[in-house]
Amino acid sequence: MHVSPTGPVFAIYYPALAAVGIPANLAVTVILPRGRCGLSTCITYYLISMAVTDLLVIITVVILNRIAGIYFPLTFLSITPICRLRIALNLAIIDCSVWLTVAFTFDRFMAICCQKLNIKYCTEKTAARVIAMVCTLNCLKNVFMYFVYEPLYIISNVPWFCSIKLIFYTSPAWAAYDWIHRILTPCLPFILILLLNALTVRHILAASRVRRRLRAHNNGDSQSDPEMESRRKSIVLLFTISGSFILLYLLIVINFLHVRIAKSSYFSGSNFTEANFILDQSGYMLQLLSSCVNPFIYAGTQRKFREELKNGVKYPLSLIVKLFK
């Protein structure tokens, strides 16, 4: 974390990630507030908050951390106090993005599986409070990360870059904090998202079987069921979101287990061919890729969102055509 890796892969990957992620998440923040996608206000709040945090991940982590470190390695951003602040801020924003996904998944679980609590929980006020609480708690949790790092170099009495302190690996207190930090993100979200989606899908499948039997008894199997088709789309959306989360965060979990169980260390040297470096940076690249995935999931599963996106693209093109007529 103290130094941004160099090389053609990173030099191409991170600018491409920013070029795709910024317009994709901006499109979500522009389209969803218009309320033309057939989504409830509660769902819209969660999706917008997820898009905003993903956009912040692209700006702070990808652009100000990765890209700036590759193309402008010796700027004021690399001075140790600012470097430490950036690390804590980056982790807080990533954690917010992860836990907002959990909050959205729980909201959908309540809406589908708990009809009695749906009216009280799935409201605009509750969504706003949950979003504010998630962001506040994750920011407070990552304040301590500021104190994990020390200068890598001191040049003319100026500390440069960030290196993990050795006490971080030997102190029981820091070891406990690291376990808690890694369990809260992403290990616990792994478990919660899988559990909530499994329960939600099981409820949908059970309800669909009952409805299919009733329709077969009354009307026969030949007729289509629009409601069951809608439920199938919900299952696809749930599996897509949870599956992408698990796949893109898997190496982060593996790296944590490797460090703590094998008593290794996170990458902190200058040998970019180390296995630790490859594992650490591969996991980090996939983790950041998750900040670009959700807009494409919405576009692939929500017809009205695609229509609004097409209209948004056509509108400026039509203005350009009119200008040249």
Side-chain angles (χ1 to χ4, degrees):
M1 186 74 73
H2 66 274
V3 59
S4 296
T6 58
V9 174
F10 302 109
I12 295 173
Y13 178 79
Y14 290 114
L17 194 64
V20 173
I22 290 179
N25 285 293
L26 280 176
V28 174
T29 60
V30 171
I31 291 174
L32 291 184
R34 296 165 66 89
R36 299 179 181 178
C37 295
L39 301 172
S40 68
T41 307
C42 178
I43 295 175
T44 302
Y45 275 21
Y46 283 110
L47 297 185
I48 292 175
S49 66
M50 291 161 63
V52 170
T53 52
D54 286 341
L55 182 62
L56 290 175
V57 169
I58 296 294
I59 294 173
T60 60
V61 183
V62 176
I63 296 178
L64 295 181
N65 187 40
R66 302 275 98 177
I67 296 178
I70 293 171
Y71 292 98
F72 310 100
L74 293 176
T75 65
F76 72 98
L77 294 174
S78 299
I79 298 176
T80 300
I82 298 177
C83 175
R84 293 159 69 181
L85 180 62
R86 286 193 297 117
I87 291 172
L89 181 62
N90 293 344
L91 292 174
I93 294 173
I94 290 175
D95 287 357
C96 287
S97 177
V98 171
W99 278 98
L100 285 174
T101 304
V102 176
F104 171 72
T105 306
F106 182 75
D107 178 85
R108 292 301 85 207
F109 167 78
M110 295 291 289
I112 296 172
C113 302
C114 306
Q115 296 296 326
K116 294 182 179 179
L117 299 176
N118 177 18
I119 299 176
K120 293 183 179 180
Y121 183 82
C122 301
T123 63
E124 301 174 22
K125 290 184 179 179
T126 301
R129 290 171 182 170
V130 170
I131 292 168
M133 182 179 66
V134 166
C135 294
T136 300
L137 291 178
N138 280 291
C139 289
L140 292 175
K141 184 193 74 170
N142 285 282
V143 167
F144 298 99
M145 292 303 299
Y146 182 87
F147 305 100
V148 172
Y149 296 87
E150 62 184 0
L152 180 63
Y153 307 111
I154 297 179
I155 303 174
S156 300
N157 294 325
V158 178
W160 289 92
F161 302 110
C162 293
S163 178
I164 298 176
K165 297 177 180 178
L166 292 178
I167 194 175
F168 182 75
Y169 300 105
T170 58
S171 169
W174 279 119
Y177 175 78
D178 189 40
W179 273 101
I180 294 172
H181 182 83
R182 301 287 176 166
I183 289 173
L184 290 178
T185 305
C187 296
L188 184 58
F190 261 54
I191 298 172
L192 291 177
I193 288 177
L194 285 174
L195 177 62
L196 291 172
N197 277 285
L199 293 174
T200 303
V201 170
R202 188 180 71 169
H203 178 87
I204 292 174
L205 293 176
S208 298
R209 284 194 295 267
V210 173
R211 184 174 178 83
R212 191 183 300 114
R213 285 197 295 266
L214 290 174
R215 288 180 62 85
H217 181 267
N218 296 328
N219 303 318
D221 281 328
S222 59
Q223 297 185 8
S224 62
D225 190 344
E227 185 173 339
M228 289 183 66
E229 291 297 326
S230 177
R231 287 174 177 173
R232 289 192 187 98
K233 292 180 180 179
S234 298
I235 293 173
V236 171
L237 179 62
L238 289 171
F239 271 122
T240 305
I241 292 176
S242 60
S244 65
F245 179 87
I246 295 299
L247 289 175
L248 295 176
Y249 274 80
L250 182 60
L251 280 183
I252 296 292
V253 177
I254 292 175
N255 190 32
F256 165 69
L257 295 176
H258 173 70
V259 169
R260 286 304 175 188
I261 296 177
K263 295 183 178 180
S264 179
S265 63
Y266 297 113
F267 173 76
S268 59
S270 58
N271 184 6
F272 294 160
T273 62
E274 287 182 2
N276 284 5
F277 171 77
I278 296 173
L279 180 63
D280 180 70
Q281 293 303 316
S282 297
Y284 201 62
M285 291 168 71
L286 292 176
Q287 181 187 49
L288 295 179
L289 180 61
S290 66
S291 62
C292 300
V293 169
N294 282 348
F296 295 95
I297 293 177
Y298 306 152
T301 58
Q302 303 295 317
R303 178 181 58 83
K304 292 183 178 181
F305 182 86
R306 289 196 300 272
E307 293 175 355
E308 289 295 313
L309 185 60
K310 291 177 182 177
N311 294 334
V313 174
K314 290 178 181 178
Y315 181 72
L317 293 178
S318 63
L319 290 180
I320 295 173
V321 172
K322 289 180 181 179
L323 289 175
F324 285 95
K325 283 186 176 180

